[in-house]
Amino acid sequence: MKTVKRIDAVFLPVTNIDASEKWYMNTFPFKVVYRSSDGRYVGFRFNEKGELKTALTLFKVDKLPERKHITFNFYCEDVDAFHTYLSKRNYHVSKIHGGDGMRFFDLFDPDGNGLGIVSFKEIPVNEIE
């Protein structure tokens, strides 16, 4: 039996694929790994060596769905430094919050999609079970 190894891609709706691609490329250390022939999808992975990790794929929509919660988090080793970096460049970010061993804030893309930025002390796998 073959097993599932990871989440391969997370899909995020955007209204302007070109502007959003530029924003994400300027915000995160991404490389483009997929672009659909119809121009409606662009996929990114972190620009690092080693095993491929979860991709982010933007897809073009005419109208964004209503969301009441952050869809996913980006893990960051230093939330405070990244928050300062983004704030100085006039990105739309929330205040930093903390609790339950985490520090986090929300970052909003040009369409208002909320992206969580979080840091926490990782629990060794043998302590989870």
Side-chain angles (χ1 to χ4, degrees):
M1 178 175 135
K2 299 195 182 219
T3 61
V4 175
K5 296 175 94 176
R6 68 175 186 274
I7 295 172
D8 182 66
V10 175
F11 291 82
L12 192 65
V14 297
T15 58
N16 184 323
I17 198 85
D18 295 327
S20 292
E21 177 181 345
K22 289 176 188 169
W23 187 89
Y24 279 87
M25 290 294 291
N26 287 328
T27 306
F28 300 102
F30 282 153
K31 64 180 175 181
V32 173
V33 295
Y34 174 77
R35 187 174 280 112
S36 66
S37 60
D38 64 4
R40 297 187 62 83
Y41 293 84
V42 61
F44 308 103
R45 292 208 189 259
F46 283 97
N47 192 12
E48 58 188 25
K49 293 182 180 183
E51 181 182 354
L52 292 177
K53 295 187 178 143
T54 305
L56 173 63
T57 300
L58 306 179
F59 66 98
K60 171 97 172 71
V61 295
D62 293 325
K63 183 181 177 191
L64 293 171
E66 182 179 340
R67 294 205 178 153
K68 296 183 183 205
H69 194 278
I70 297 298
T71 306
F72 58 89
N73 291 329
F74 285 98
Y75 176 78
C76 180
E77 290 179 347
D78 188 342
V79 162
D80 295 279
F82 193 48
H83 188 272
T84 298
Y85 170 86
L86 295 171
S87 296
K88 286 183 178 179
R89 286 158 184 80
N90 296 317
Y91 280 80
H92 180 191
V93 294
S94 71
K95 293 180 181 178
I96 296 175
H97 303 279
D100 297 326
M102 294 187 291
R103 290 182 57 72
F104 55 93
F105 66 91
D106 298 337
L107 166 64
F108 299 90
D109 77 3
D111 280 301
N113 287 309
L115 312 169
I117 309 295
V118 64
S119 68
F120 52 87
K121 180 182 176 197
E122 293 191 47
I123 301 169
V125 174
N126 61 351
E127 292 181 24
I128 294 174
E129 300 170 5

PDB file of all heavy atoms in Angstrom, residues 55-85:
ATOM      1  N   ALA A  55       3.339  23.267  -1.745  1.00  0.00           N
ATOM      2  CA  ALA A  55       3.309  24.370  -2.702  1.00  0.00           C
ATOM      3  C   ALA A  55       2.120  25.279  -2.406  1.00  0.00           C
ATOM      4  O   ALA A  55       1.131  24.851  -1.810  1.00  0.00           O
ATOM      5  CB  ALA A  55       3.183  23.830  -4.125  1.00  0.00           C
ATOM      6  N   LEU A  56       2.238  26.512  -2.829  1.00  0.00           N
ATOM      7  CA  LEU A  56       1.117  27.439  -2.802  1.00  0.00           C
ATOM      8  C   LEU A  56       0.753  27.705  -4.251  1.00  0.00           C
ATOM      9  O   LEU A  56       1.621  28.078  -5.053  1.00  0.00           O
ATOM     10  CB  LEU A  56       1.500  28.751  -2.110  1.00  0.00           C
ATOM     11  CG  LEU A  56       0.442  29.850  -2.178  1.00  0.00           C
ATOM     12  CD1 LEU A  56      -0.833  29.422  -1.451  1.00  0.00           C
ATOM     13  CD2 LEU A  56       0.978  31.142  -1.591  1.00  0.00           C
ATOM     14  N   THR A  57      -0.499  27.494  -4.598  1.00  0.00           N
ATOM     15  CA  THR A  57      -0.967  27.750  -5.957  1.00  0.00           C
ATOM     16  C   THR A  57      -2.049  28.811  -5.906  1.00  0.00           C
ATOM     17  O   THR A  57      -3.046  28.668  -5.203  1.00  0.00           O
ATOM     18  CB  THR A  57      -1.513  26.466  -6.607  1.00  0.00           C
ATOM     19  OG1 THR A  57      -0.475  25.487  -6.643  1.00  0.00           O
ATOM     20  CG2 THR A  57      -1.995  26.735  -8.026  1.00  0.00           C
ATOM     21  N   LEU A  58      -1.834  29.885  -6.655  1.00  0.00           N
ATOM     22  CA  LEU A  58      -2.829  30.940  -6.795  1.00  0.00           C
ATOM     23  C   LEU A  58      -3.712  30.597  -7.982  1.00  0.00           C
ATOM     24  O   LEU A  58      -3.222  30.092  -8.992  1.00  0.00           O
ATOM     25  CB  LEU A  58      -2.160  32.288  -7.046  1.00  0.00           C
ATOM     26  CG  LEU A  58      -1.100  32.743  -6.046  1.00  0.00           C
ATOM     27  CD1 LEU A  58      -0.531  34.092  -6.479  1.00  0.00           C
ATOM     28  CD2 LEU A  58      -1.659  32.808  -4.641  1.00  0.00           C
ATOM     29  N   PHE A  59      -5.006  30.856  -7.864  1.00  0.00           N
ATOM     30  CA  PHE A  59      -5.888  30.645  -9.008  1.00  0.00           C
ATOM     31  C   PHE A  59      -6.804  31.841  -9.167  1.00  0.00           C
ATOM     32  O   PHE A  59      -7.245  32.449  -8.197  1.00  0.00           O
ATOM     33  CB  PHE A  59      -6.664  29.323  -8.910  1.00  0.00           C
ATOM     34  CG  PHE A  59      -7.656  29.240  -7.792  1.00  0.00           C
ATOM     35  CD1 PHE A  59      -9.010  29.488  -8.026  1.00  0.00           C
ATOM     36  CD2 PHE A  59      -7.260  28.876  -6.515  1.00  0.00           C
ATOM     37  CE1 PHE A  59      -9.932  29.379  -6.995  1.00  0.00           C
ATOM     38  CE2 PHE A  59      -8.184  28.771  -5.482  1.00  0.00           C
ATOM     39  CZ  PHE A  59      -9.516  29.033  -5.721  1.00  0.00           C
ATOM     40  N   LYS A  60      -7.056  32.200 -10.412  1.00  0.00           N
ATOM     41  CA  LYS A  60      -7.823  33.391 -10.760  1.00  0.00           C
ATOM     42  C   LYS A  60      -9.312  33.154 -10.549  1.00  0.00           C
ATOM     43  O   LYS A  60      -9.850  32.142 -10.982  1.00  0.00           O
ATOM     44  CB  LYS A  60      -7.556  33.745 -12.225  1.00  0.00           C
ATOM     45  CG  LYS A  60      -8.445  34.822 -12.803  1.00  0.00           C
ATOM     46  CD  LYS A  60      -7.796  36.156 -12.767  1.00  0.00           C
ATOM     47  CE  LYS A  60      -8.574  37.212 -13.494  1.00  0.00           C
ATOM     48  NZ  LYS A  60      -9.811  37.629 -12.864  1.00  0.00           N
ATOM     49  N   VAL A  61      -9.951  34.102  -9.868  1.00  0.00           N
ATOM     50  CA  VAL A  61     -11.402  34.106  -9.701  1.00  0.00           C
ATOM     51  C   VAL A  61     -11.920  35.507 -10.002  1.00  0.00           C
ATOM     52  O   VAL A  61     -11.171  36.481  -9.947  1.00  0.00           O
ATOM     53  CB  VAL A  61     -11.821  33.703  -8.264  1.00  0.00           C
ATOM     54  CG1 VAL A  61     -11.435  32.270  -7.951  1.00  0.00           C
ATOM     55  CG2 VAL A  61     -11.251  34.655  -7.229  1.00  0.00           C
ATOM     56  N   ASP A  62     -13.181  35.599 -10.337  1.00  0.00           N
ATOM     57  CA  ASP A  62     -13.787  36.908 -10.556  1.00  0.00           C
ATOM     58  C   ASP A  62     -14.209  37.551  -9.242  1.00  0.00           C
ATOM     59  O   ASP A  62     -14.174  38.770  -9.093  1.00  0.00           O
ATOM     60  CB  ASP A  62     -15.000  36.789 -11.482  1.00  0.00           C
ATOM     61  CG  ASP A  62     -14.581  36.372 -12.888  1.00  0.00           C
ATOM     62  OD1 ASP A  62     -13.495  36.785 -13.344  1.00  0.00           O
ATOM     63  OD2 ASP A  62     -15.333  35.606 -13.523  1.00  0.00           O
ATOM     64  N   LYS A  63     -14.606  36.707  -8.292  1.00  0.00           N
ATOM     65  CA  LYS A  63     -15.044  37.200  -6.988  1.00  0.00           C
ATOM     66  C   LYS A  63     -14.502  36.265  -5.914  1.00  0.00           C
ATOM     67  O   LYS A  63     -14.609  35.049  -6.030  1.00  0.00           O
ATOM     68  CB  LYS A  63     -16.573  37.240  -6.925  1.00  0.00           C
ATOM     69  CG  LYS A  63     -17.109  37.795  -5.639  1.00  0.00           C
ATOM     70  CD  LYS A  63     -18.623  37.801  -5.618  1.00  0.00           C
ATOM     71  CE  LYS A  63     -19.090  38.303  -4.255  1.00  0.00           C
ATOM     72  NZ  LYS A  63     -20.512  38.096  -4.060  1.00  0.00           N
ATOM     73  N   LEU A  64     -13.948  36.847  -4.867  1.00  0.00           N
ATOM     74  CA  LEU A  64     -13.398  36.042  -3.774  1.00  0.00           C
ATOM     75  C   LEU A  64     -14.505  35.471  -2.903  1.00  0.00           C
ATOM     76  O   LEU A  64     -15.500  36.150  -2.648  1.00  0.00           O
ATOM     77  CB  LEU A  64     -12.476  36.898  -2.895  1.00  0.00           C
ATOM     78  CG  LEU A  64     -11.198  37.387  -3.557  1.00  0.00           C
ATOM     79  CD1 LEU A  64     -10.507  38.378  -2.647  1.00  0.00           C
ATOM     80  CD2 LEU A  64     -10.283  36.226  -3.866  1.00  0.00           C
ATOM     81  N   PRO A  65     -14.317  34.234  -2.432  1.00  0.00           N
ATOM     82  CA  PRO A  65     -15.288  33.687  -1.486  1.00  0.00           C
ATOM     83  C   PRO A  65     -15.152  34.383  -0.139  1.00  0.00           C
ATOM     84  O   PRO A  65     -14.079  34.880   0.204  1.00  0.00           O
ATOM     85  CB  PRO A  65     -14.882  32.209  -1.377  1.00  0.00           C
ATOM     86  CG  PRO A  65     -13.442  32.182  -1.755  1.00  0.00           C
ATOM     87  CD  PRO A  65     -13.240  33.305  -2.731  1.00  0.00           C
ATOM     88  N   GLU A  66     -16.227  34.405   0.626  1.00  0.00           N
ATOM     89  CA  GLU A  66     -16.173  34.996   1.960  1.00  0.00           C
ATOM     90  C   GLU A  66     -15.406  34.063   2.885  1.00  0.00           C
ATOM     91  O   GLU A  66     -15.610  32.854   2.876  1.00  0.00           O
ATOM     92  CB  GLU A  66     -17.586  35.203   2.508  1.00  0.00           C
ATOM     93  CG  GLU A  66     -17.591  35.864   3.857  1.00  0.00           C
ATOM     94  CD  GLU A  66     -18.992  36.081   4.395  1.00  0.00           C
ATOM     95  OE1 GLU A  66     -19.952  36.079   3.610  1.00  0.00           O
ATOM     96  OE2 GLU A  66     -19.109  36.255   5.620  1.00  0.00           O
ATOM     97  N   ARG A  67     -14.500  34.635   3.663  1.00  0.00           N
ATOM     98  CA  ARG A  67     -13.730  33.848   4.630  1.00  0.00           C
ATOM     99  C   ARG A  67     -13.794  34.534   5.974  1.00  0.00           C
ATOM    100  O   ARG A  67     -13.692  35.743   6.060  1.00  0.00           O
ATOM    101  CB  ARG A  67     -12.275  33.736   4.193  1.00  0.00           C
ATOM    102  CG  ARG A  67     -12.141  32.948   2.927  1.00  0.00           C
ATOM    103  CD  ARG A  67     -10.787  32.350   2.838  1.00  0.00           C
ATOM    104  NE  ARG A  67     -10.751  31.562   1.619  1.00  0.00           N
ATOM    105  CZ  ARG A  67      -9.681  31.318   0.949  1.00  0.00           C
ATOM    106  NH1 ARG A  67      -8.536  31.754   1.368  1.00  0.00           N
ATOM    107  NH2 ARG A  67      -9.730  30.606  -0.141  1.00  0.00           N
ATOM    108  N   LYS A  68     -13.889  33.741   7.024  1.00  0.00           N
ATOM    109  CA  LYS A  68     -13.949  34.300   8.370  1.00  0.00           C
ATOM    110  C   LYS A  68     -12.766  33.860   9.212  1.00  0.00           C
ATOM    111  O   LYS A  68     -12.718  34.166  10.393  1.00  0.00           O
ATOM    112  CB  LYS A  68     -15.261  33.888   9.039  1.00  0.00           C
ATOM    113  CG  LYS A  68     -16.453  34.465   8.312  1.00  0.00           C
ATOM    114  CD  LYS A  68     -17.745  34.152   8.983  1.00  0.00           C
ATOM    115  CE  LYS A  68     -18.852  34.719   8.123  1.00  0.00           C
ATOM    116  NZ  LYS A  68     -20.031  35.020   8.809  1.00  0.00           N
ATOM    117  N   HIS A  69     -11.842  33.142   8.585  1.00  0.00           N
ATOM    118  CA  HIS A  69     -10.700  32.630   9.334  1.00  0.00           C
ATOM    119  C   HIS A  69      -9.500  32.530   8.403  1.00  0.00           C
ATOM    120  O   HIS A  69      -9.655  32.314   7.199  1.00  0.00           O
ATOM    121  CB  HIS A  69     -11.039  31.248   9.905  1.00  0.00           C
ATOM    122  CG  HIS A  69     -10.082  30.794  10.952  1.00  0.00           C
ATOM    123  ND1 HIS A  69      -8.875  30.210  10.648  1.00  0.00           N
ATOM    124  CD2 HIS A  69     -10.149  30.849  12.290  1.00  0.00           C
ATOM    125  CE1 HIS A  69      -8.239  29.911  11.764  1.00  0.00           C
ATOM    126  NE2 HIS A  69      -8.994  30.302  12.789  1.00  0.00           N
ATOM    127  N   ILE A  70      -8.319  32.677   8.982  1.00  0.00           N
ATOM    128  CA  ILE A  70      -7.090  32.482   8.218  1.00  0.00           C
ATOM    129  C   ILE A  70      -7.103  31.065   7.651  1.00  0.00           C
ATOM    130  O   ILE A  70      -7.447  30.109   8.349  1.00  0.00           O
ATOM    131  CB  ILE A  70      -5.856  32.678   9.146  1.00  0.00           C
ATOM    132  CG1 ILE A  70      -5.807  34.102   9.673  1.00  0.00           C
ATOM    133  CG2 ILE A  70      -4.569  32.292   8.448  1.00  0.00           C
ATOM    134  CD1 ILE A  70      -5.651  35.177   8.658  1.00  0.00           C
ATOM    135  N   THR A  71      -6.723  30.914   6.398  1.00  0.00           N
ATOM    136  CA  THR A  71      -6.765  29.614   5.744  1.00  0.00           C
ATOM    137  C   THR A  71      -5.603  28.716   6.138  1.00  0.00           C
ATOM    138  O   THR A  71      -5.751  27.520   6.302  1.00  0.00           O
ATOM    139  CB  THR A  71      -6.763  29.798   4.215  1.00  0.00           C
ATOM    140  OG1 THR A  71      -7.836  30.666   3.877  1.00  0.00           O
ATOM    141  CG2 THR A  71      -6.952  28.484   3.497  1.00  0.00           C
ATOM    142  N   PHE A  72      -4.414  29.297   6.286  1.00  0.00           N
ATOM    143  CA  PHE A  72      -3.229  28.520   6.644  1.00  0.00           C
ATOM    144  C   PHE A  72      -2.178  29.452   7.223  1.00  0.00           C
ATOM    145  O   PHE A  72      -2.286  30.669   7.116  1.00  0.00           O
ATOM    146  CB  PHE A  72      -2.667  27.743   5.445  1.00  0.00           C
ATOM    147  CG  PHE A  72      -2.303  28.610   4.272  1.00  0.00           C
ATOM    148  CD1 PHE A  72      -1.036  29.162   4.153  1.00  0.00           C
ATOM    149  CD2 PHE A  72      -3.228  28.867   3.281  1.00  0.00           C
ATOM    150  CE1 PHE A  72      -0.710  29.965   3.081  1.00  0.00           C
ATOM    151  CE2 PHE A  72      -2.913  29.673   2.191  1.00  0.00           C
ATOM    152  CZ  PHE A  72      -1.640  30.220   2.097  1.00  0.00           C
ATOM    153  N   ASN A  73      -1.166  28.865   7.846  1.00  0.00           N
ATOM    154  CA  ASN A  73      -0.051  29.617   8.431  1.00  0.00           C
ATOM    155  C   ASN A  73       1.240  29.347   7.677  1.00  0.00           C
ATOM    156  O   ASN A  73       1.455  28.242   7.191  1.00  0.00           O
ATOM    157  CB  ASN A  73       0.202  29.181   9.880  1.00  0.00           C
ATOM    158  CG  ASN A  73      -0.882  29.590  10.828  1.00  0.00           C
ATOM    159  OD1 ASN A  73      -1.537  30.608  10.649  1.00  0.00           O
ATOM    160  ND2 ASN A  73      -1.090  28.795  11.860  1.00  0.00           N
ATOM    161  N   PHE A  74       2.091  30.351   7.657  1.00  0.00           N
ATOM    162  CA  PHE A  74       3.493  30.189   7.277  1.00  0.00           C
ATOM    163  C   PHE A  74       4.279  30.138   8.578  1.00  0.00           C
ATOM    164  O   PHE A  74       4.090  30.989   9.450  1.00  0.00           O
ATOM    165  CB  PHE A  74       3.999  31.390   6.463  1.00  0.00           C
ATOM    166  CG  PHE A  74       3.507  31.426   5.048  1.00  0.00           C
ATOM    167  CD1 PHE A  74       2.419  32.208   4.702  1.00  0.00           C
ATOM    168  CD2 PHE A  74       4.143  30.692   4.067  1.00  0.00           C
ATOM    169  CE1 PHE A  74       1.976  32.267   3.389  1.00  0.00           C
ATOM    170  CE2 PHE A  74       3.706  30.740   2.749  1.00  0.00           C
ATOM    171  CZ  PHE A  74       2.617  31.520   2.412  1.00  0.00           C
ATOM    172  N   TYR A  75       5.163  29.157   8.712  1.00  0.00           N
ATOM    173  CA  TYR A  75       6.023  29.092   9.889  1.00  0.00           C
ATOM    174  C   TYR A  75       7.193  30.046   9.678  1.00  0.00           C
ATOM    175  O   TYR A  75       7.780  30.114   8.602  1.00  0.00           O
ATOM    176  CB  TYR A  75       6.558  27.671  10.106  1.00  0.00           C
ATOM    177  CG  TYR A  75       7.520  27.609  11.270  1.00  0.00           C
ATOM    178  CD1 TYR A  75       7.047  27.600  12.576  1.00  0.00           C
ATOM    179  CD2 TYR A  75       8.895  27.610  11.065  1.00  0.00           C
ATOM    180  CE1 TYR A  75       7.918  27.584  13.650  1.00  0.00           C
ATOM    181  CE2 TYR A  75       9.772  27.590  12.129  1.00  0.00           C
ATOM    182  CZ  TYR A  75       9.280  27.571  13.414  1.00  0.00           C
ATOM    183  OH  TYR A  75      10.153  27.562  14.476  1.00  0.00           O
ATOM    184  N   CYS A  76       7.542  30.778  10.724  1.00  0.00           N
ATOM    185  CA  CYS A  76       8.627  31.753  10.669  1.00  0.00           C
ATOM    186  C   CYS A  76       9.455  31.617  11.944  1.00  0.00           C
ATOM    187  O   CYS A  76       8.892  31.565  13.043  1.00  0.00           O
ATOM    188  CB  CYS A  76       8.021  33.144  10.570  1.00  0.00           C
ATOM    189  SG  CYS A  76       9.194  34.488  10.492  1.00  0.00           S
ATOM    190  N   GLU A  77      10.763  31.555  11.811  1.00  0.00           N
ATOM    191  CA  GLU A  77      11.609  31.406  12.997  1.00  0.00           C
ATOM    192  C   GLU A  77      11.603  32.639  13.882  1.00  0.00           C
ATOM    193  O   GLU A  77      11.729  32.541  15.093  1.00  0.00           O
ATOM    194  CB  GLU A  77      13.040  31.056  12.578  1.00  0.00           C
ATOM    195  CG  GLU A  77      13.153  29.660  12.002  1.00  0.00           C
ATOM    196  CD  GLU A  77      14.559  29.320  11.561  1.00  0.00           C
ATOM    197  OE1 GLU A  77      15.424  30.229  11.466  1.00  0.00           O
ATOM    198  OE2 GLU A  77      14.805  28.138  11.294  1.00  0.00           O
ATOM    199  N   ASP A  78      11.463  33.833  13.294  1.00  0.00           N
ATOM    200  CA  ASP A  78      11.499  35.079  14.064  1.00  0.00           C
ATOM    201  C   ASP A  78      10.333  35.973  13.641  1.00  0.00           C
ATOM    202  O   ASP A  78      10.468  36.810  12.745  1.00  0.00           O
ATOM    203  CB  ASP A  78      12.838  35.783  13.857  1.00  0.00           C
ATOM    204  CG  ASP A  78      13.030  36.976  14.778  1.00  0.00           C
ATOM    205  OD1 ASP A  78      12.045  37.488  15.347  1.00  0.00           O
ATOM    206  OD2 ASP A  78      14.189  37.419  14.920  1.00  0.00           O
ATOM    207  N   VAL A  79       9.195  35.766  14.264  1.00  0.00           N
ATOM    208  CA  VAL A  79       7.982  36.518  13.937  1.00  0.00           C
ATOM    209  C   VAL A  79       8.199  38.017  14.109  1.00  0.00           C
ATOM    210  O   VAL A  79       7.767  38.816  13.282  1.00  0.00           O
ATOM    211  CB  VAL A  79       6.797  36.016  14.796  1.00  0.00           C
ATOM    212  CG1 VAL A  79       5.680  37.021  14.825  1.00  0.00           C
ATOM    213  CG2 VAL A  79       6.290  34.701  14.268  1.00  0.00           C
ATOM    214  N   ASP A  80       8.886  38.417  15.180  1.00  0.00           N
ATOM    215  CA  ASP A  80       9.077  39.852  15.437  1.00  0.00           C
ATOM    216  C   ASP A  80       9.874  40.525  14.326  1.00  0.00           C
ATOM    217  O   ASP A  80       9.514  41.603  13.852  1.00  0.00           O
ATOM    218  CB  ASP A  80       9.762  40.043  16.790  1.00  0.00           C
ATOM    219  CG  ASP A  80       8.885  39.561  17.923  1.00  0.00           C
ATOM    220  OD1 ASP A  80       7.988  40.314  18.348  1.00  0.00           O
ATOM    221  OD2 ASP A  80       9.085  38.412  18.376  1.00  0.00           O
ATOM    222  N   ALA A  81      10.951  39.895  13.895  1.00  0.00           N
ATOM    223  CA  ALA A  81      11.787  40.472  12.831  1.00  0.00           C
ATOM    224  C   ALA A  81      11.027  40.538  11.510  1.00  0.00           C
ATOM    225  O   ALA A  81      11.109  41.543  10.790  1.00  0.00           O
ATOM    226  CB  ALA A  81      13.074  39.666  12.674  1.00  0.00           C
ATOM    227  N   PHE A  82      10.274  39.491  11.184  1.00  0.00           N
ATOM    228  CA  PHE A  82       9.526  39.486   9.927  1.00  0.00           C
ATOM    229  C   PHE A  82       8.412  40.529   9.971  1.00  0.00           C
ATOM    230  O   PHE A  82       8.169  41.229   8.991  1.00  0.00           O
ATOM    231  CB  PHE A  82       8.972  38.088   9.630  1.00  0.00           C
ATOM    232  CG  PHE A  82       8.470  37.913   8.226  1.00  0.00           C
ATOM    233  CD1 PHE A  82       9.220  38.311   7.125  1.00  0.00           C
ATOM    234  CD2 PHE A  82       7.227  37.333   7.998  1.00  0.00           C
ATOM    235  CE1 PHE A  82       8.744  38.147   5.828  1.00  0.00           C
ATOM    236  CE2 PHE A  82       6.743  37.164   6.710  1.00  0.00           C
ATOM    237  CZ  PHE A  82       7.504  37.573   5.621  1.00  0.00           C
ATOM    238  N   HIS A  83       7.763  40.676  11.115  1.00  0.00           N
ATOM    239  CA  HIS A  83       6.720  41.693  11.280  1.00  0.00           C
ATOM    240  C   HIS A  83       7.309  43.088  11.081  1.00  0.00           C
ATOM    241  O   HIS A  83       6.730  43.928  10.380  1.00  0.00           O
ATOM    242  CB  HIS A  83       6.080  41.557  12.664  1.00  0.00           C
ATOM    243  CG  HIS A  83       4.893  42.424  12.866  1.00  0.00           C
ATOM    244  ND1 HIS A  83       4.986  43.724  13.324  1.00  0.00           N
ATOM    245  CD2 HIS A  83       3.567  42.183  12.674  1.00  0.00           C
ATOM    246  CE1 HIS A  83       3.787  44.240  13.403  1.00  0.00           C
ATOM    247  NE2 HIS A  83       2.905  43.327  13.014  1.00  0.00           N
ATOM    248  N   THR A  84       8.461  43.340  11.681  1.00  0.00           N
ATOM    249  CA  THR A  84       9.137  44.637  11.525  1.00  0.00           C
ATOM    250  C   THR A  84       9.490  44.877  10.064  1.00  0.00           C
ATOM    251  O   THR A  84       9.258  45.966   9.525  1.00  0.00           O
ATOM    252  CB  THR A  84      10.400  44.696  12.401  1.00  0.00           C
ATOM    253  OG1 THR A  84      10.000  44.567  13.770  1.00  0.00           O
ATOM    254  CG2 THR A  84      11.159  45.994  12.205  1.00  0.00           C
ATOM    255  N   TYR A  85      10.048  43.869   9.402  1.00  0.00           N
ATOM    256  CA  TYR A  85      10.418  43.963   7.984  1.00  0.00           C
ATOM    257  C   TYR A  85       9.203  44.340   7.136  1.00  0.00           C
ATOM    258  O   TYR A  85       9.259  45.261   6.319  1.00  0.00           O
ATOM    259  CB  TYR A  85      11.010  42.622   7.522  1.00  0.00           C
ATOM    260  CG  TYR A  85      11.217  42.506   6.041  1.00  0.00           C
ATOM    261  CD1 TYR A  85      12.386  42.982   5.450  1.00  0.00           C
ATOM    262  CD2 TYR A  85      10.256  41.901   5.223  1.00  0.00           C
ATOM    263  CE1 TYR A  85      12.583  42.880   4.080  1.00  0.00           C
ATOM    264  CE2 TYR A  85      10.444  41.797   3.858  1.00  0.00           C
ATOM    265  CZ  TYR A  85      11.603  42.285   3.293  1.00  0.00           C
ATOM    266  OH  TYR A  85      11.805  42.187   1.933  1.00  0.00           O
TER     267      TYR A  85
END
